[in-house]
Amino acid sequence: MEYNFGEIEKKWQGKWNDANAYKVSNKSDKPKYYVLDMFPYPSGAGLHVGHPLGYIASDIFSRYKRLKGFNVLHPMGYDAFGLPAEQYAIEHGVHPAVSTEQNIGNFRKQLDKIGFCYDWDREVRTCETNYYKWTQWIFLQLFNSYFNPATKKATPITELVKAFEIDGSISIDGLRATIKSFTAAEWKAYSEKEQQDILMEFRLAFCGHGEVNWCEALGTVLANDEVVNGVSERGGHPVEKKRLRQWYLRITDYADRLLNDLNKLEWSDAMKEMQTNWIGKSSGAEISFKIQVSSYNDTPSNVELTTHNSPLTVYTTRPDTIFGVDFMVVSPEHELVTGITSAAQQKEVEDYINYVKSRSERERQAEKKITGAFTGAFAINPFDGREIPIWISEYVLAGYGTGAIMAVPCGDERDFKFANHFNIPITNIIGDAFNGTEPNATKDAKLTNSGFLNGVVLRDAIDIVIDKLEEMGIGKRKINYRMRDAAFSRQRYWGEPFPIVWKNGIAYPLSENELPLELPKVDSYSPGPEGEGPLANIDSWVEKNLETNTMPGYAGSSWYFLRYMDNHNDAEFAGREATDYWNQVDLYIGGTEHAVGHLLYSRLWTKVLHDLGHLSFDEPFKKLLNQGMITGKSYFITYVHVYSNGDKARMIEKRIFNANKYFDSQGRIVRSALERYAKTEEHFPLMDNVIWGGKTESGEQYAELIDIVEKMSKSKGNVFNPDDIVNEFGADTFRMYEMFLGPIEQSKPWDTKGIEGVHRFLKKLWRLFYDDSKGKVWNEEVPTPAELKILHRTIKKIEDDTERFSFNTAVSGFMVCVNDLADAKCHKRAILEQVLILLTPYAPHIAEELWHSLGNEGFIIDAPFPQFEGKYIVESTKEYPISINGKVRANLNLPLDMEQAEVETIVTANETVQKWLEGKAPKKIIFVKGRMINVVI
RNA sequence: GCCUUGGUGGUGGAACUGGUAGACACGCAGGACUUAAAAUCCUGUCUUCAGCAACGGAGGUGCGGGUUCGAUUCCCGCCUGAGGCACCA
């Protein structure tokens, strides 16, 4: 009887399904445990081998926890709204709901083959009305709330209205800069529009204006993803920034809580650091400088400097360096730029602004070339009256701080390079700490050339300067965050409609009983007028004055983990009883690519729902495990043809092309396909003579295969389908192989080279129970101490490794165990049965089959996890490595309880040690009990 | 450019808290079984020097330094791969 994985896996998947083996109840005497996967976007390419990596890990952990006696919630669903489905619709005319449904069906089939223990009764799909009804409901909670700075909590906006009616704007501490102060009487006298405009400045979901990538030729707004090198990916049309009305989430109000509460989480330091850096809290000062602009008097030669009516406000973390400011840099978009540019500089400034317009934020930051333009205006240093030239440059971004900086070239790298490039003289305010060739950002030097601050240590000068500025009324302390409010609207079709009606420029929320606001069918997915979304093309929609934007992809994914807890609830997003019971996600597994997007938004939504009294917890994911990405290998062929052309010297022709389609699913080259292609399309004019794999001496022509590791995606043609592996080797082999590839957190290129080894392991396990010719070989004999040692060592290994998510070493632990048992010719039920339970999380099908072969009733997942007993593995002696000066020279078997003095005597007497000592006495003998011995000579 | 993270044999990786570098696999080489193949099993496999051999010497964890009795592990500098950078999900 041989290991027929195909039959076994199909059989048990059927039985588990029929018996609802993985159905989870919200009521149990057992302790709860919630294991969550980042749900997939059901793309048309289907599941690739990267998806299951995390799913297998979470499945292993879920089964492990269940064996350990927990009530385990382990659900799955689909993040089903999004751009790709819409693009597919535009290109093929298939409604996104249809293609999404198909893709989900396909995903489900692929997932089922791998034998996951999901409770499918809890499935959610973000694009279904019974789900997005609640996404819209949560949006209304956000819209109808504001962040109360006194309590630091989301509070119903009605409370704010009450406060305005009693005290006017003074009821708000730290009134937003965009609002003028008003009295209670003034508030009541305001028109509804005026009142609502003020409230909009407070709502957690609010409407404002923001820039998008606008492509005139396509008449649409593009995602950053769709813009490549400043032109549209489709068609290569120019793209520029356009200002549109947009919805936002006021995540910046939560910046401090999001930052501080990271302490509560069991996330990797790397992940916490990424979020910390993203939030980017800094403290410093805002400083206003007077501006002097030049204006012509009659003739261009008669230039006069006059004071501009508004000052230039900069944000700096280093007010201590104010005497070292040699120039100002404002972002090219800054509102002051047009007003302060001198006539002489006008052309240069305009040209520069046009150049910057076409560039993305990333390009602007990554640019090594130093660019900029002088405005012709000057700022005045408030302390010494120096005239400081004001420049514009792309490295200063409008969205951060005030969009303007004071540049201190002796202390800042970029400022220094800028000054050098444009020959701006540098003031040294840090004495010897500045050597003239490279800037020094120290805070520990003493100030020089700094007026009243001379001799003060920079670090101490920070507060002195801010105090002085505040006294003079031209500056103030300021905490700044790099994080910006989250753009929450898209000019797209395939997303949740906003439950908002516009009347006279006022946004009115729909009431709860009007939800869900269903996404209407459209005839065309093309964008509406003026960059509006496709919904703007629907007359019935526009007539009702409904919002034509839709929500972004992350709307649905910001709370899906809550819906799993109670997904059939029609009355609430999730019942309080259910959310109280399941509480936080105990273990969340997913990729680092979501570090600052999804993970931050989910935290925000959870906090808001908590503040408003809908949840008892304010952090969604207690422990986070980041799986590495399985990258795909892309193959490229470089072809070089060197030839002579008449009298001329050698000509070199070089071509590089993507060759993914000439490789099969296991990454093997399909030579015939390649050759056919080479000949028909003339990629290699002299194919017959091509030398593979490198250069030749004479270099007539050669072709070389290179592989590039990159993210798997359909467009790159490097996607591998798990079905192929499952069909060939079985789900258990696939599961264990993906784990065996390496540490779960590490990213690695997909490769099937080692899969045979894992498959062989399972066959070897099988043979402990059944011999190909003899049939059943397992027996009821009593295990020997040696066999029990193998078992208990394995129990410890698997338990330890699983607890610390070291799944690859656990697999190798199983291999060692089976190798040892085979060597010991152990076919004893008492041992094997326990090994099967250990193996269940990793290879559930074969474990289940053999479990029943041993005559057990019921599913193995309900068996008790083996109890480790230390007494079976105790050792009395240890083979100590003896190092001489740190290099191992001998081994010595010594009792484990032997102490230093005795060890030293024995070691010194050792023959090998004697040889190295050459008659001398050792300087020192280092003895680490149970570890090693090092003799220092 | 900025943030995060990785680099160990021909390959994937192991070494968990500074204590025997290369577990477990793949591949390769040789052998057994077989009419043959598949399957299975056995032996060897970091490099290099010396050697008939048991065994021995030297080097070795991206590169260059440092701390330490001892460094893949800690510190400094550099090279390089991957992910993210706000509208892909």
Side-chain angles (χ1 to χ4, degrees):
Chain A
M1 199 167 132
E2 64 177 27
Y3 172 40
N4 186 339
F5 54 83
E7 211 169 277
I8 291 168
E9 288 172 2
K10 206 172 154 202
K11 176 171 88 183
W12 290 110
Q13 283 168 11
K15 291 201 181 192
W16 293 333
N17 193 35
D18 295 345
N20 278 325
Y22 302 121
K23 187 157 173 53
V24 186
S25 163
N26 284 0
K27 285 200 179 73
S28 170
D29 300 336
K30 298 175 182 173
K32 72 96 190 183
Y33 201 87
Y34 186 178
V35 182
L36 182 67
D37 288 304
M38 287 185 184
F39 64 166
Y41 175 81
S43 82
L47 210 61
H48 62 67
V49 291
H51 287 112
L53 185 72
Y55 304 161
I56 293 167
S58 66
D59 199 68
I60 288 171
F61 209 76
S62 300
R63 289 173 184 269
Y64 171 76
K65 278 289 175 184
R66 177 151 167 195
L67 286 169
K68 283 274 192 177
F70 288 81
N71 186 33
V72 180
L73 176 57
H74 185 217
M76 184 46 97
Y78 304 96
D79 185 13
F81 272 135
L83 193 52
E86 184 158 338
Q87 279 172 334
Y88 189 80
I90 291 168
E91 283 160 32
H92 299 92
V94 181
H95 193 278
V98 174
S99 59
T100 302
E101 173 82 30
Q102 275 170 0
N103 293 345
I104 287 176
N106 188 24
F107 265 58
R108 176 64 190 276
K109 250 186 257 161
Q110 291 181 290
L111 287 170
D112 280 348
K113 281 189 171 181
I114 303 170
F116 292 125
C117 65
Y118 295 122
D119 178 357
W120 283 107
D121 195 39
R122 291 176 182 262
E123 182 192 301
V124 301
R125 300 178 182 188
T126 57
C127 66
E128 289 193 344
T129 50
N130 61 15
Y131 183 87
Y132 72 70
K133 171 180 178 180
W134 299 108
T135 309
Q136 291 172 334
W137 181 86
I138 297 172
F139 171 82
L140 290 180
Q141 306 304 304
L142 290 156
F143 180 81
N144 289 322
S145 320
Y146 78 109
F147 186 82
N148 184 336
T151 58
K152 297 190 177 4
K153 277 188 170 181
T155 309
I157 196 103
T158 48
E159 300 288 318
L160 184 65
V161 173
K162 270 187 220 157
F164 284 165
E165 283 169 355
I166 295 165
D167 291 323
S169 61
I170 53 163
S171 56
I172 296 299
D173 80 23
L175 190 70
R176 289 186 196 289
T178 44
I179 306 277
K180 273 186 275 177
S181 58
F182 51 84
T183 63
E186 280 170 329
W187 169 260
K188 286 177 198 158
Y190 282 154
S191 68
E192 188 186 3
K193 173 87 166 85
E194 284 167 319
Q195 288 185 342
Q196 288 300 328
D197 283 351
I198 290 168
L199 292 179
M200 196 56 107
E201 299 292 328
F202 291 89
R203 295 179 188 279
L204 290 178
F206 68 98
C207 210
H209 283 84
E211 286 187 336
V212 294
N213 300 312
W214 171 252
C215 180
E216 186 71 43
L218 296 172
T220 185
V221 174
L222 296 176
N224 286 343
D225 227 37
E226 300 173 290
V227 183
V228 181
N229 299 325
V231 297
S232 66
E233 194 179 29
R234 278 181 293 142
H237 306 291
V239 174
E240 59 174 42
K241 298 269 181 288
K242 184 184 171 98
R243 229 171 134 72
L244 282 183
R245 185 176 60 73
Q246 298 283 354
W247 286 91
Y248 292 90
L249 300 186
R250 209 177 292 282
I251 193 169
T252 48
D253 278 355
Y254 274 83
D256 252 330
R257 278 175 66 189
L258 290 168
L259 187 63
N260 294 335
D261 288 351
L262 284 171
N263 292 328
K264 297 201 248 177
L265 305 175
E266 295 169 41
W267 294 13
S268 68
D269 291 342
M271 189 58 58
K272 289 184 184 180
E273 210 163 322
M274 270 191 263
Q275 290 214 343
T276 301
N277 292 337
W278 182 264
I279 293 168
K281 183 176 182 172
S282 65
S283 59
E286 260 181 25
I287 308 174
S288 297
F289 292 81
K290 274 189 191 149
I291 303 175
Q292 297 226 302
V293 292
S294 53
S295 47
Y296 293 124
N297 267 352
D298 313 328
T299 60
S301 57
N302 189 5
V303 172
E304 174 172 290
L305 288 176
T306 54
T307 302
H308 192 65
N309 48 16
S310 47
L312 175 67
T313 305
V314 304
Y315 173 74
T316 178
T317 57
R318 297 295 302 274
D320 49 317
T321 61
I322 189 151
F323 285 93
V325 179
D326 292 318
F327 55 99
M328 299 286 179
V329 188
V330 302
S331 78
E333 300 85 348
H334 199 285
E335 53 181 12
L336 277 176
V337 172
T338 22
I340 63 171
T341 301
S342 69
Q345 291 300 110
Q346 192 130 14
K347 172 93 174 59
E348 194 183 330
V349 166
E350 273 171 17
D351 286 351
Y352 188 70
I353 289 173
N354 282 333
Y355 155 77
V356 170
K357 241 184 197 167
S358 66
R359 292 164 63 78
S360 72
E361 201 169 292
R362 181 128 24 109
E363 282 171 325
R364 290 174 55 173
Q365 287 176 319
E367 183 60 82
K368 278 185 186 160
K369 214 168 61 193
I370 296 157
T371 62
F374 176 47
T375 59
F378 295 88
I380 302 302
N381 188 312
F383 294 128
D384 61 8
R386 268 170 68 198
E387 288 182 358
I388 307 165
I390 301 173
W391 289 69
I392 60 173
S393 177
E394 59 177 336
Y395 78 89
V396 173
L397 301 175
Y400 181 62
T402 60
I405 61 157
M406 56 181 228
V408 183
C410 76
D412 182 273
E413 183 80 34
R414 257 192 310 197
D415 297 348
F416 181 80
K417 286 184 177 158
F418 196 89
N420 273 343
H421 187 262
F422 290 109
N423 290 316
I424 301 169
I426 295 172
T427 309
N428 179 14
I429 53 161
I430 50 175
D432 296 343
F434 178 61
N435 61 12
T437 53
E438 57 186 354
N440 187 344
T442 180
K443 283 185 187 170
D444 297 319
K446 281 188 180 164
L447 281 158
T448 57
N449 290 328
S450 293
F452 68 97
L453 292 170
N454 279 335
V456 180
V457 174
L458 288 127
R459 190 179 301 284
D460 304 328
I462 296 176
D463 278 330
I464 298 173
V465 172
I466 300 179
D467 288 346
K468 186 107 183 174
L469 289 166
E470 286 184 336
E471 200 185 299
M472 295 164 74
I474 51 167
K476 57 177 189 217
R477 265 188 188 74
K478 182 87 200 263
I479 301 271
N480 222 340
Y481 299 96
R482 176 162 283 116
M483 180 169 67
R484 306 196 287 260
D485 282 329
F488 196 67
S489 52
R490 304 288 183 262
Q491 293 69 49
R492 303 284 180 183
Y493 171 70
W494 192 232
E496 301 86 348
F498 284 86
I500 291 288
V501 175
W502 288 93
K503 269 179 218 151
N504 305 321
I506 301 171
Y508 292 96
L510 297 186
S511 65
E512 278 182 36
N513 57 29
E514 290 174 278
L515 301 183
L517 173 62
E518 290 198 32
L519 184 64
K521 290 253 193 295
V522 291
D523 299 325
S524 144
Y525 307 96
S526 52
E530 294 302 312
E532 284 191 82
L535 294 181
N537 292 329
I538 304 174
D539 292 341
S540 60
W541 193 264
V542 176
E543 274 163 22
K544 283 185 232 156
N545 296 310
L546 287 160
E547 170 65 57
T548 56
N549 283 321
T550 54
M551 297 189 202
Y554 67 80
S557 63
S558 292
W559 73 282
Y560 74 109
F561 47 92
L562 299 171
R563 187 64 180 171
Y564 284 138
M565 297 174 183
D566 194 11
N567 65 327
H568 297 298
N569 196 328
D570 290 331
E572 292 169 278
F573 69 97
R576 188 59 186 263
E577 211 176 316
T579 58
D580 279 353
Y581 175 69
W582 289 111
N583 211 274
Q584 287 175 296
V585 173
D586 294 284
L587 175 65
Y588 194 19
I589 299 185
T592 49
E593 67 270 23
H594 297 287
V596 288
H598 161 65
L599 287 170
L600 216 40
Y601 302 132
S602 299
R603 293 182 63 211
L604 173 70
W605 286 44
T606 304
K607 285 186 186 304
V608 172
L609 289 171
H610 168 78
D611 290 352
L612 298 176
H614 300 298
L615 289 176
S616 55
F617 48 94
D618 71 345
E619 278 292 339
F621 314 123
K622 195 163 150 199
K623 179 160 179 68
L624 179 69
L625 179 66
N626 291 115
Q627 99 220 33
M629 186 168 290
I630 292 198
T631 43
K633 248 186 204 165
S634 282
Y635 294 90
F636 292 87
I637 288 171
T638 56
Y639 166 81
V640 177
H641 181 202
V642 183
Y643 58 101
S644 55
N645 183 10
D647 304 332
K648 286 187 189 153
R650 285 143 47 100
M651 304 283 289
I652 297 175
E653 183 194 5
K654 188 171 181 179
R655 294 172 181 177
I656 298 179
F657 59 95
N658 186 306
N660 282 340
K661 50 183 163 173
Y662 311 112
F663 292 83
D664 66 12
S665 65
Q666 307 217 1
R668 289 174 299 225
I669 190 164
V670 181
R671 183 61 69 97
S672 57
L674 180 62
E675 289 184 356
R676 201 173 332 124
Y677 177 74
K679 281 179 180 152
T680 53
E681 299 186 30
E682 298 187 336
H683 267 279
F684 306 119
L686 303 163
M687 181 71 195
D688 295 340
N689 303 322
V690 160
I691 292 153
W692 282 95
K695 299 168 200 226
T696 57
E697 285 298 313
S698 56
E700 282 308 305
Q701 68 168 348
Y702 62 86
E704 200 174 6
L705 192 62
I706 47 177
D707 52 60
I708 289 172
V709 172
E710 57 186 359
K711 198 170 167 177
M712 270 193 197
S713 80
K714 195 184 180 185
S715 61
K716 290 179 180 126
N718 58 0
V719 172
F720 295 101
N721 187 334
D723 291 2
D724 299 338
I725 313 288
V726 172
N727 290 339
E728 196 173 343
F729 296 100
D732 286 338
T733 299
F734 177 67
R735 291 169 63 108
M736 292 194 90
Y737 179 61
E738 284 229 349
M739 293 301 100
F740 192 55
L741 271 177
I744 186 81
E745 280 158 297
Q746 193 172 304
S747 75
K748 49 231 155 191
W750 177 246
D751 207 317
T752 51
K753 269 191 228 155
I755 200 160
E756 292 278 356
V758 175
H759 194 60
R760 264 174 221 153
F761 152 75
L762 288 176
K763 286 195 284 188
K764 194 165 181 175
L765 170 77
W766 186 265
R767 285 197 304 273
L768 290 175
F769 295 78
Y770 292 103
D771 187 281
D772 284 353
S773 49
K774 285 184 275 187
K776 174 194 152 206
V777 287
W778 58 268
N779 59 51
E780 301 284 355
E781 286 168 29
V782 179
T784 64
E787 289 162 347
L788 284 166
K789 193 169 175 177
I790 296 171
L791 173 66
H792 283 269
R793 224 192 264 156
T794 306
I795 296 172
K796 182 155 174 49
K797 170 87 176 152
I798 300 308
E799 202 169 340
D800 288 355
D801 285 358
T802 307
E803 290 282 357
R804 66 188 177 100
F805 311 108
S806 180
F807 303 115
N808 57 327
T809 53
V811 173
S812 111
F814 282 119
M815 289 173 170
V816 170
C817 171
V818 166
N819 288 346
D820 287 350
L821 291 176
D823 288 347
K825 301 203 164 41
C826 173
H827 302 283
K828 295 168 186 168
R829 176 212 185 97
I831 300 288
L832 297 179
E833 205 164 55
Q834 300 292 297
V835 173
L836 288 181
I837 300 171
L838 292 177
L839 185 68
T840 300
Y842 291 81
H845 308 89
I846 191 172
E848 188 81 80
E849 172 72 15
L850 292 171
W851 172 256
H852 287 266
S853 299
L854 294 178
N856 291 294
E857 298 291 329
F859 295 123
I860 191 169
I861 195 74
D862 295 318
F865 197 82
Q867 194 68 42
F868 169 68
E869 286 183 64
K871 65 181 180 188
Y872 293 113
I873 63 165
V874 285
E875 305 267 358
S876 58
T877 63
K878 152 101 190 160
E879 180 92 354
Y880 279 99
I882 317 276
S883 312
I884 312 246
N885 288 339
K887 194 88 190 159
V888 180
R889 299 294 177 185
N891 283 292
L892 211 50
N893 205 6
L894 299 173
L896 263 173
D897 55 6
M898 193 175 268
E899 298 299 330
Q900 171 108 21
E902 209 178 338
V903 169
E904 284 191 18
T905 322
I906 295 173
V907 167
T908 320
N910 178 273
E911 202 184 327
T912 317
V913 176
Q914 282 290 324
K915 196 181 89 188
W916 282 91
L917 279 172
E918 294 172 332
K920 288 172 280 186
K923 273 190 198 145
K924 200 161 138 196
I925 293 177
I926 290 154
F927 170 63
V928 183
K929 206 170 183 182
R931 285 275 187 197
M932 45 65 69
I933 299 157
N934 189 17
V935 182
V936 186
I937 297 173

